[in-house]
Amino acid sequence: MSEITSLVSDIVLEYVKGIVEKSKQGRKITEQEYQVLIAYLTNKRIDDLQAQLDRRVDKLESEVKELRDLVEKKFEESRAYTDKKTEEIKQYTDKRFEELKQYSDNRFDEIKQYTDKRFEELKEYTDKRFDEMRQYTDKRFDEMKQYTDLRFEELKQYTDRRFEELKQYTDKRFDEMEKRSESRFDEVNKRIDDLRKDMNARFDQLISLLTKKGDG
């Protein structure tokens, strides 16, 4: 099929060359020849444009392929770089994590030891202060006990003395009251005797008066 097409193209080309040659010779070309020439030139132009377009398409496809290859290459490079940096960051992170873990463990141990040490110191200090406070309390308690006993004895002696004084005062006042009562009692008895004597005298006078009136 391609051989036939090539043969037809050659025939048409020879025919067109003949028309061009005829025109160059100043001979008049026919309408049919003119139409064939126009058709050939048009097809030739179309073929040239097609060829140019194909070349441009091929070039564009080549450029697109190069660009695609470049993009693929850059993508692979970027992915490889990303993977590499990711691995580096991962390794760095793991390393820093281990360092931080080790540092935290060390600091924790130090703090633990420091806390234990301070706790023991505080415990010893507390025990010491507790013993001092207990001794001080016992001492103050003994002093307070002695003071209380002393004050209690003083108060007891004072109470006994005041009780004796009150007893003496009461006995004295009672004796005075008894003497006064006896004196008053004697005075009352004397008044009663005087009143009895006076009543008897008056009674005798009345009897004497009544006797005289009876004789008369």
Side-chain angles (χ1 to χ4, degrees):
M1 183 68 180
S2 59
E3 294 179 356
I4 297 175
T5 303
S6 178
L7 181 60
V8 172
S9 297
D10 292 339
I11 295 173
V12 173
L13 180 59
E14 288 298 327
Y15 181 71
V16 170
K17 286 182 178 180
I19 295 173
V20 172
E21 186 65 28
K22 183 179 179 179
S23 176
K24 287 181 179 181
Q25 293 175 1
R27 295 162 56 187
K28 184 178 181 181
I29 59 177
T30 64
E31 183 66 26
Q32 182 180 357
E33 291 174 339
Y34 180 76
Q35 292 294 333
V36 171
L37 182 59
I38 293 299
Y40 175 80
L41 293 175
T42 301
N43 290 331
K44 182 69 171 58
R45 182 58 178 168
I46 292 174
D47 291 339
D48 291 341
L49 291 174
Q50 183 66 41
Q52 184 179 4
L53 182 60
D54 291 340
R55 286 193 301 272
R56 289 185 177 181
V57 169
D58 292 340
K59 183 179 180 182
L60 181 60
E61 288 179 351
S62 177
E63 292 176 351
V64 169
K65 185 176 181 303
E66 291 177 359
L67 181 59
R68 183 177 63 190
D69 293 341
L70 179 62
V71 170
E72 290 291 337
K73 180 181 179 182
K74 291 297 184 181
F75 177 78
E76 291 298 330
E77 291 176 354
S78 178
R79 184 171 66 178
Y81 177 80
T82 301
D83 292 341
K84 180 181 178 182
K85 295 304 289 184
T86 300
E87 186 63 25
E88 290 178 358
I89 293 174
K90 181 181 178 181
Q91 293 177 0
Y92 177 79
T93 302
D94 292 340
K95 179 181 177 182
R96 294 298 293 170
F97 178 80
E98 290 299 327
E99 292 176 354
L100 180 60
K101 181 181 178 182
Q102 185 65 36
Y103 176 79
S104 299
D105 292 340
N106 293 337
R107 293 300 293 171
F108 180 80
D109 291 337
E110 291 176 2
I111 293 174
K112 182 181 177 182
Q113 293 175 2
Y114 177 79
T115 302
D116 292 340
K117 179 181 178 182
R118 294 297 294 169
F119 178 80
E120 291 299 328
E121 292 176 354
L122 180 60
K123 182 179 177 181
E124 292 177 358
Y125 177 79
T126 302
D127 292 340
K128 180 180 178 181
R129 294 298 293 170
F130 181 80
D131 290 338
E132 292 176 357
M133 181 60 69
R134 185 175 60 183
Q135 294 174 3
Y136 176 78
T137 302
D138 292 340
K139 180 181 177 182
R140 294 297 294 168
F141 180 79
D142 292 337
E143 292 176 355
M144 189 65 184
K145 182 180 177 182
Q146 294 175 3
Y147 177 78
T148 302
D149 292 339
L150 178 63
R151 296 299 293 170
F152 181 79
E153 186 65 28
E154 292 177 355
L155 180 60
K156 181 181 177 182
Q157 294 175 2
Y158 176 78
T159 302
D160 292 340
R161 188 175 71 252
R162 294 296 292 169
F163 180 78
E164 289 297 329
E165 291 176 356
L166 180 60
K167 182 180 177 182
Q168 293 175 5
Y169 177 78
T170 302
D171 291 341
K172 181 180 178 181
R173 295 296 293 171
F174 184 78
D175 291 339
E176 291 177 356
M177 183 64 69
E178 185 178 12
K179 290 179 181 180
R180 184 178 178 184
S181 296
E182 289 177 355
S183 176
R184 296 293 293 175
F185 184 74
D186 292 339
E187 291 178 0
V188 171
N189 286 336
K190 183 179 179 182
R191 292 289 295 171
I192 291 174
D193 290 341
D194 291 343
L195 183 59
R196 184 183 297 116
K197 291 178 181 180
D198 184 64
M199 290 296 293
N200 288 334
R202 290 181 181 276
F203 187 71
D204 291 341
Q205 290 178 0
L206 180 60
I207 292 175
S208 178
L209 182 61
L210 291 174
T211 303
K212 290 181 177 180
K213 287 184 178 181
D215 290 342

